[in-house]
Amino acid sequence: MIDSGDTGFMIICTALVLLMTPGLAFFYGGMVRRKNVVNTMMTSIFVIGIAMVMWILFGYSLAFGNDHLGIIGDLSFLGLSNVGTTPGNYASTIPDLGFAAFQMMFAIITPALITGAVAGRMKFKALFIFIIVWSTIVYYPMAHMVWGLGGFLAEIGSVDFAGGNVVHISSGVSALVLCIILGKRKDYDHAKYRIHNIPFVVLGASLLLFGWFGFNAGSSLKADGLAIHAFMTTAVAAASGMLSWMLMDVWKINKPTLVGSVTGLVVGLVAITPGAGFVPIWSAVIIGFVGSPICYFMISKAKQYFGYDDALDAFGCHGIGGIWGGIATGLFAQTSINDVARWNGLFFGDTNLLIAQIISILLTIVVAVIGTLICIGVVRLFTPLRVDKRDEQMGLDMSEHNETAYPSFNGLE
C-alpha cells in the first residue's frame, strides 16, 4: 500500500541525490586550473542528460529487471514499461516509479565521479562515449548484483546500504585504470598544480554533504527509524572524517587547511555509505576518523610513489574510501540494526559478513578493471582518448567548448 509520508520523503531524497551532481561539478571545477574549469564542470553536468535518458530507455531494466545468472536484469522494463504508480518488488510503500527515480540519481553521479581522474586532458567526445559504454557494462550489472533481486553479491550475503561497491569502488577503480592508460598531464612531473578557486571547492563539498543525506537516509526507502539511523551515521562519519584530515594537515604542514577539511568530510561520507544503515552510530566515528588517514596516505604518498596522475583523486578518495567502508561494514554491522545483514560483523564475533564483504570488494574491482579496459577499446574505435598537446596547452575550455569561465582570463597560468 502506498504511504504518502514515505512517498514524499523519497521524492525529497531523490531531489537531494540529483543535487549532488552539480555539487560534484563545483567540487571538481574549483580544483583545476582556470583554463579547464568549464570542461571539468561540463564533464559532471552532461552526465545528467545521458545517464537519465539511458536509465529510462534501458538502464533501469538491466539493473532491476528479472534476474539472469545473478549478473544482469532483462529487458522487461524497457522505456519504464510496467513501472507504474503502485508498489513494486523493491519498495512496499512507495510507487515503483519512485524507486526507479531514486535509483536513477545514483546512475547519474557514479560515472561523473570518474571524470575527476582525467581532468585537463581527455577529449570530451571520448568521455561521452566512455560514459555510455561504462554505464552499460559496469554500472548496471553492479547495481543488479548488489541490489537486484537474485543478484549474485546479495545472494552470498554481502551488504551495501547505499553504494560502496556500486558507486564508489566501481567508479574509483575505473578512474584509476582510465587515468593510467590516458597518461599524465603533459607537465605533471615538473609543474605545481594550484587549486584555482577554493570557495568553489567548499560550495561543492557542502552541496555533496547536503545531498548525501538523501543518498544514505533515502536508501532506507521509507521515512522510518532506519532512515534516521542512516542520517545520523552519515553526519557523524562526515564530521569525524573532517577532524581527522585536519589533524593530518597539522601533522604535515603545521596548519589546518580548508580544502583538506572538506576533502576529509567527503572521505567520511564515502566511507560510511556502504554501512550507514547497518553499523551502530558510535562506529561511524571510527569509520570516518580512520578513513581520512588511509585516503590521505594514498593521495600524498602512494600516488607519487607509483606515478599515476589521478588529477582530482577520484581513486584516492572514492575507490580507497569505498574499500575501507566495505571492510568496516564487515567489522561493525549488526543484524539488530538491519536484518538485511545475515550476520553480525567481526567486532561482534562473526567472520561470515567480513568474508562476504571482501569477496564483493574483490569482484567489484575485477568488474571495474575489465569493464574499463573494454570501454577504452570501444572508445578508440571512434576517437582518440586524449586531446592533442596544443589543445591541452590552450586549455580544454576553449579547445573543447569554445567557452571561458572568466572573461578576463588571458590563457596564461
Side-chain angles (χ1 to χ4, degrees), residues 154-179:
E155 291 296 309
I156 67 170
S158 69
V159 294
D160 184 357
F161 191 72
N165 286 302
V166 182
V167 177
H168 297 293
I169 300 175
S170 69
S171 64
V173 172
S174 294
L176 176 64
V177 175
L178 184 57
C179 78

Side-chain angles (χ1 to χ4, degrees), residues 158 235 260 262 360 375:
S158 69
V262 297
S360 71
C375 292

Side-chain angles (χ1 to χ4, degrees), residues 89-372:
N89 293 326
Y90 292 95
S92 60
T93 62
I94 66 171
D96 201 18
L97 193 59
F99 174 78
F102 181 65
Q103 286 293 336
M104 178 170 67
M105 304 314 170
F106 286 66
I108 292 169
I109 194 168
T110 304
L113 294 172
I114 299 171
T115 64
V118 298
R121 62 204 193 276
M122 188 167 180
K123 288 180 69 70
F124 183 78
K125 178 181 178 181
L127 187 61
F128 191 97
I129 298 170
F130 179 89
I131 295 296
I132 293 173
V133 182
W134 187 89
S135 296
T136 304
I137 70 173
V138 176
Y139 184 80
Y140 302 154
M142 282 307 311
H144 183 81
M145 284 190 281
V146 173
W147 294 324
L149 294 176
F152 172 72
L153 293 179
E155 291 296 309
I156 67 170
S158 69
V159 294
D160 184 357
F161 191 72
N165 286 302
V166 182
V167 177
H168 297 293
I169 300 175
S170 69
S171 64
V173 172
S174 294
L176 176 64
V177 175
L178 184 57
C179 78
I180 289 172
I181 292 180
L182 192 63
K184 302 175 185 178
R185 286 165 287 183
K186 68 179 186 62
D187 51 2
Y188 178 74
D189 291 322
H190 58 267
K192 186 172 180 64
Y193 289 88
R194 297 182 182 275
I195 293 172
H196 96 281
N197 193 325
I198 292 176
F200 265 27
V201 177
V202 177
L203 174 61
S206 301
L207 291 172
L208 285 169
L209 171 64
F210 186 59
W212 222 293
F213 289 111
F215 197 83
N216 285 0
S219 292
S220 173
L221 301 178
K222 289 183 178 181
D224 61 2
L226 184 59
I228 195 62
H229 181 94
F231 187 104
M232 288 301 294
T233 55
T234 300
V236 170
S240 62
M242 172 186 281
L243 292 175
S244 182
W245 200 289
M246 290 171 67
L247 286 175
M248 298 297 294
D249 272 344
V250 171
W251 171 68
K252 186 173 181 180
I253 63 173
N254 296 319
K255 295 178 181 178
T257 66
L258 181 54
V259 170
S261 299
V262 297
T263 301
L265 178 136
V266 171
V267 168
L269 292 167
V270 171
I272 196 60
T273 292
F278 293 105
V279 302
I281 294 172
W282 58 264
S283 72
V285 177
I286 300 172
I287 292 171
F289 202 84
V290 173
S292 277
I294 294 172
C295 294
Y296 191 99
F297 172 79
M298 288 299 301
I299 292 168
S300 64
K301 299 296 182 182
K303 185 169 74 168
Q304 282 71 26
Y305 179 80
F306 291 106
Y308 58 87
D309 183 11
D310 178 3
L312 306 180
D313 299 307
F315 173 69
C317 288
H318 295 278
I320 297 300
I323 290 169
W324 159 241
I327 293 171
T329 304
L331 297 176
F332 298 112
Q334 288 184 292
T335 58
S336 59
I337 294 171
N338 187 343
D339 61 9
V340 170
R342 299 179 195 172
W343 312 284
N344 288 322
L346 181 64
F347 186 83
F348 302 101
D350 200 333
T351 60
N352 288 307
L353 180 59
L354 180 60
I355 292 170
Q357 292 299 99
I358 292 172
I359 292 171
S360 71
I361 290 167
L362 292 175
L363 182 63
T364 302
I365 292 171
V366 170
V367 171
V369 171
I370 295 174
T372 302

